[in-house]
Amino acid sequence: MATQGRRPAGRAGKGSPVRRNRAAPAQRFPAPKPPKKTAKVVFDAPEAESEEPRTFRLGVVPGATPGRWIDAWKQRMPHVPVELVPVQVADQNAALDDLDAALVRLPLTDENLHVITLYDEVPVVVASIDSHLLAADELSIADLAGEIVMTPTDDPLGPIDIPGALVPAFAPMPVSEGIATAAAGTGIMVVPMSLARLHHRKDVDHRRLVDGPTSTVALAWRRDHTTPDVETFIGIVRGRTSNSSR
């Protein structure tokens, strides 16, 4: 018969070779790896220019508190140190000629200046710890009638109309000396709260003057001196981050 001598399909004999699937040529040998990229070395490349060493000079009137802005500056501009320059209120306009910017007290009228208002300070009455005025939690201008009210030479509030107040028999003096005089019970002084805290003594205390004039602290700088450093500090006091657009 025709089928005689044939081996059953699917059953290989003992000596029969096993057929193996041949892979495609592309699969038998892995693809060659792309050549590694190497950095090109240029021996004559110019060095990056370094910035000129400089200092940011910030004027500060007594009582102003730039601490949080200085901390932010140190983080953002660690290569530019800040020099804090004490400035008296009476001299703050002229002092700006030699400063990058300054924390000043308004009013400050000068068309050659840029001014950004920052915050207002409430006025307080500074008196001897034994003064009857301290019996109240807060005071009004009417409560100061009959009191000797000292006006400091570095007056940050300007003239205050206090009906019935007595004029001191001695010459005006700076705030620090006036508060020391108030401690002796010789008179009282009206100043922004920050100055009362700055010159705090154990023998004086202060009370808020609810209807007294406030003192506005502002950032000021010369219009013709708006440098990148000044713009950076402006951004800091306005709360902008280093990634914020101007």
Side-chain angles (χ1 to χ4, degrees):
M1 295 178 66
T3 59
Q4 291 180 349
R6 293 184 181 178
R7 294 176 180 174
R11 296 180 63 183
K14 182 177 180 181
S16 299
V18 178
R19 299 183 63 182
R20 302 178 183 274
N21 293 330
R22 290 187 178 182
Q27 295 175 341
R28 277 190 290 172
F29 302 100
K33 295 181 179 180
K36 294 182 178 180
K37 295 182 179 181
T38 57
K40 185 181 293 185
V41 179
V42 180
F43 293 97
D44 296 330
E47 296 182 359
E49 296 183 2
S50 59
E51 294 185 356
E52 286 290 330
R54 64 187 186 278
T55 299
F56 186 76
R57 303 185 76 238
L58 179 67
V60 182
V61 293
T65 53
R68 64 185 183 278
W69 299 317
I70 299 302
D71 291 341
W73 175 275
K74 290 179 179 178
Q75 294 178 358
R76 195 174 304 181
M77 302 285 286
H79 57 292
V80 181
V82 177
E83 179 186 356
L84 295 180
V85 182
V87 174
Q88 297 302 318
V89 175
D91 305 325
Q92 59 187 9
N93 196 334
L96 281 164
D97 291 339
D98 299 321
L99 300 170
D100 291 294
L103 297 180
V104 299
R105 290 190 184 274
L106 300 183
L108 186 62
T109 56
D110 189 333
E111 295 181 354
N112 298 316
L113 299 179
H114 282 301
V115 177
I116 298 176
T117 300
L118 300 178
Y119 58 90
D120 292 332
E121 284 193 70
V122 299
V124 298
V125 177
V126 180
S128 167
I129 198 71
D130 299 323
S131 173
H132 68 280
L133 294 174
L134 300 183
D137 293 331
E138 56 186 23
L139 300 168
S140 66
I141 288 179
D143 295 325
L144 307 184
E147 301 289 336
I148 299 175
V149 180
M150 296 177 284
T151 301
T153 54
D154 49 345
D155 187 9
L157 294 175
I160 304 175
D161 183 18
I162 304 177
L166 304 178
V167 179
F170 43 85
M173 58 189 72
V175 170
S176 58
E177 296 180 19
I179 290 179
T181 302
T186 311
I188 62 173
M189 183 170 280
V190 181
V191 295
M193 183 179 291
S194 66
L195 291 182
R197 292 174 174 172
L198 178 65
H199 301 292
H200 176 69
R201 300 165 52 105
K202 293 182 179 180
D203 47 5
V204 297
D205 204 349
H206 61 270
R207 294 291 184 269
R208 181 182 177 186
L209 186 62
V210 292
D211 52 355
T214 58
S215 177
T216 302
V217 176
L219 177 68
W221 70 98
R222 293 289 178 193
R223 288 181 179 271
D224 57 357
H225 198 60
T226 306
T227 64
D229 286 348
V230 171
E231 291 179 343
T232 298
F233 194 78
I234 294 169
I236 289 173
V237 300
R238 284 182 165 171
R240 292 198 296 253
T241 65
S242 56
N243 297 325
S244 299
S245 59
R246 291 172 183 167

